[in-house]
Amino acid sequence: MMNIPFLSLKDVTALHGDEINAAVKRVVNSGWYLQGKENERFEADYAKFIGSKYAIGCANGLDALIWIFRAYKELGVMQDGDEVIVPANTYIATILAITENNLKPILVEPKLNTLEIDDDKIEERITSRTKAICIVHLYGRNAYTDRIGALCKKYNLKLVEDNAQAHGCKHTDGRITGSIGDAAGHSFYPGKNLGALGDGGAVTTNDDELAITVRTLANYGSSKKYVFKYTGRNSRLDEIQAAVLDVKLKYLVEDNAHRKAVANYYYDHIKHPLISLPDRLLDSQNVYHLFPILCEKRDTLHYYLEKNGVGTIIHYPIAPHKQECYKEWNGMTLPITEYIADHELSLPIGPTITLDEVDYVVDLINRFE
């Protein structure tokens, strides 16, 4: 029996371990640990990679989204009670960033064949209080459509991207997610395609005012030492994480290519009547942060794979509108989102898993009863 973890962070780090160790040692020996040259270098390199004018490092992906909406409020674009359209099927951080700013999330169901927000259902939810559409490139898959772009233009809405799971993903026109909207939040949580050795995040944008405001808010509300324009917070990317991320950024395209090869193997070889896969997209539209499947006997399959040495994770077992922290939504019925929560299972995928290991996973799945 093989032992295949869902994702071995130790193995992922070891892929570029010598360079990472050298980068960490360089920072330690420099004596400068915050807001220094490592941040400047990574922000410049990441902005270039994404195709945006600015990248502003911050403490984590949730903060990145929080600062975007907070900055829009400080700039007078949004105010308390304004509405933000957001997919109902997402990690809760997307929604937390909206409610944290006293804005109102408007939950829109996904399409079952893509697991991404259904652009056919967005316009009917737009009101006079709607100020933005927040799309989530969930599982590493591009969620942007030309129809969403047209709706933003028609109703003068900001387009915010949650790019926490899709570093390096491209739209069909060649733009990389994180550069498509007005602003984007990125997470560098260790398990992400571009992961740090701890928490980290960034905001990307081409908007000069927004970039300045985000950077100021994340630095206690200060752009000049001991002078505070806003009541901000301390949310900064440290020098060690910036240095590590800059090393791993060089290999992101290569690492994503391996993820795509694994995903293609799954698509080509999983054949089971109880299992369905999201529609297959062109490689440029998916970097496979996760490989989600839907199974009619999801929990049984989950335990079966675990028993046979294969790590799997459910993304996510409780939909945001059913969480205790949003009790006021618990009575809502969102059948597609709830179906995904009850049937989704993520298979092992990453830059270190081998095709022999993937073949073992596939064989187990196809023999599942």
Side-chain angles (χ1 to χ4, degrees):
M1 183 175 74
M2 286 189 176
N3 180 27
I4 304 171
F6 180 73
L7 180 68
S8 170
L9 293 177
K10 183 178 179 180
D11 290 345
V12 170
T13 302
L15 273 179
H16 316 298
D18 289 345
E19 289 183 69
I20 289 172
N21 287 332
V24 171
K25 184 177 180 180
R26 182 178 70 243
V27 176
V28 171
N29 290 339
S30 76
W32 194 284
Y33 307 128
L34 280 170
Q35 296 183 301
K37 295 185 184 302
E38 303 292 347
N39 261 269
E40 291 176 8
R41 182 182 300 111
F42 172 67
E43 288 181 348
D45 289 344
Y46 193 61
K48 183 178 180 181
F49 176 83
I50 293 294
S52 62
K53 188 174 180 181
Y54 301 103
I56 305 102
C58 60
N60 53 68
L62 172 57
D63 277 6
L65 292 170
I66 287 174
W67 299 135
I68 290 169
F69 290 114
R70 172 74 185 279
Y72 277 133
K73 289 182 71 179
E74 296 292 353
L75 294 171
V77 175
M78 300 177 190
Q79 59 184 354
D80 285 0
D82 282 342
E83 297 171 353
V84 178
I85 288 173
V86 64
N89 179 45
T90 184
Y91 183 57
I92 200 167
T94 318
I95 296 168
L96 289 172
I98 297 168
T99 58
E100 172 80 8
N101 281 290
N102 294 317
L103 301 169
K104 183 179 179 181
I106 303 299
L107 306 182
V108 173
E109 287 263 64
K111 292 181 178 179
L112 192 57
N113 65 323
T114 67
L115 310 183
E116 306 290 345
I117 192 168
D118 187 343
D119 59 3
D120 291 330
K121 296 180 178 178
I122 292 176
E123 189 165 19
E124 64 192 37
R125 305 303 305 278
I126 295 174
T127 73
S128 60
R129 294 304 301 268
T130 307
K131 293 296 186 292
I133 299 174
C134 181
I135 57 174
V136 183
H137 305 297
L138 201 62
Y139 312 121
R141 183 184 185 112
N142 170 45
Y144 177 79
T145 66
D146 291 339
R147 185 170 188 183
I148 291 174
L151 289 172
C152 288
K153 186 174 182 180
K154 179 178 178 180
Y155 293 99
N156 193 29
L157 306 177
K158 295 296 183 183
L159 179 61
V160 177
E161 298 173 77
D162 182 340
N163 200 51
Q165 298 188 7
H167 312 111
C169 179
K170 290 182 180 179
H171 183 48
T172 50
D173 64 9
R175 287 181 294 171
I176 293 181
T177 55
S179 69
I180 297 171
D182 295 286
H186 307 251
S187 169
F188 304 125
Y189 179 80
K192 298 297 171 62
N193 292 42
L194 180 61
L197 298 186
D199 275 322
V203 172
T204 54
T205 185
N206 292 325
D207 185 324
D208 297 348
E209 271 194 311
L210 186 75
I212 292 170
T213 307
V214 165
R215 190 178 295 281
T216 302
L217 286 166
N219 186 42
Y220 298 96
S222 171
S223 58
K224 182 180 179 182
K225 196 167 187 177
Y226 304 133
V227 178
F228 303 92
K229 184 174 182 179
Y230 308 113
T231 53
R233 287 214 304 257
N234 176 11
S235 176
R236 300 177 299 203
L237 185 67
D238 72 68
E239 290 285 277
I240 287 178
Q241 303 305 340
V244 169
L245 288 166
D246 207 48
V247 169
K248 296 179 76 174
L249 179 60
K250 295 186 296 182
Y251 301 99
L252 179 57
V253 172
E254 176 184 329
D255 290 347
N256 283 345
H258 185 78
R259 289 175 178 270
K260 293 172 186 178
V262 171
N264 285 332
Y265 196 95
Y266 281 142
Y267 271 114
D268 290 340
H269 295 90
I270 292 177
K271 311 291 181 185
H272 198 290
L274 295 178
I275 293 173
S276 62
L277 308 179
D279 285 354
R280 199 172 191 171
L281 286 176
L282 297 173
D283 277 354
S284 62
Q285 292 178 263
N286 201 330
V287 291
Y288 297 102
H289 170 59
L290 301 171
F291 192 89
I293 65 174
L294 299 175
C295 181
E296 294 301 319
K297 296 167 64 177
R298 189 269 309 281
D299 293 342
T300 306
L301 176 62
H302 173 61
Y303 293 126
Y304 162 78
L305 290 173
E306 293 281 346
K307 182 180 177 181
N308 284 279
V310 176
T312 59
I313 296 180
I314 299 167
H315 295 97
Y316 301 96
I318 305 174
H321 70 286
K322 296 297 184 181
Q323 296 286 353
E324 187 177 354
C325 63
Y326 291 121
K327 290 178 182 176
E328 65 274 22
W329 298 343
N330 288 175
M332 291 175 63
T333 299
L334 295 167
I336 299 174
T337 297
E338 292 160 24
Y339 180 88
I340 294 169
D342 290 339
H343 294 81
E344 193 276 343
L345 189 67
S346 297
L347 302 182
I349 195 167
T352 60
I353 190 171
T354 68
L355 290 184
D356 283 343
E357 290 173 325
V358 176
D359 184 65
Y360 176 77
V361 176
V362 169
D363 181 62
L364 282 175
I365 289 173
N366 289 341
R367 290 192 287 112
F368 172 66
E369 296 180 354

